Amino acid sequence: MNGYQAALVLVLLAVAMVAAVYALGALAAVTRSPLEGGPFAAGELPAEHAVSRFHVRWYPITMIFLAFDMEMIFMYPWTVVVADMGAKAVVEMFLFLGLLLVGVLYAWREGALRWV
């Protein structure tokens, strides 16, 4: 079996697996009608649509949250290697935190954290 035949067999196997999963899902489906009450708020009816629009003031807060979320993603591996790298790692982390602080202070100065 040459390389093209092996690739063709692999693609056919992948397509067959996807078709089998879709067929199994269609056979195992309990109902195709939408639910009257969702899992949110203990099954009560939702007050708004799930794809409703959010006010624009939430987006800067979301960006700041994501910045600090990325900070934590970088800090967890840093804690593992800080003892091996020494003072250089500490200086680099404080430079990174300082850069994030400058971003928050800029957002605060521009009024991105004001609610009204």
Side-chain angles (χ1 to χ4, degrees), residues 11-88:
V11 168
L12 291 176
L13 184 63
V15 169
M17 290 295 288
V18 169
V21 168
Y22 271 109
L24 183 64
L27 291 174
V30 177
T31 180
R32 292 196 180 267
S33 64
L35 297 173
E36 282 95 26
F40 178 73
E44 293 180 14
L45 292 174
E48 58 190 22
H49 194 272
V51 194
S52 62
R53 294 182 180 201
F54 292 101
H55 196 278
V56 72
R57 70 176 171 227
W58 286 103
Y59 292 107
I61 299 299
T62 304
M63 291 298 122
I64 291 171
F65 169 75
L66 287 176
F68 283 101
D69 201 29
M70 289 296 111
E71 168 198 359
M72 293 311 300
I73 287 175
F74 287 126
M75 284 185 86
Y76 283 132
W78 173 78
T79 59
V80 175
V81 298
V82 70
D84 296 333
M85 292 185 67
K88 179 184 175 197

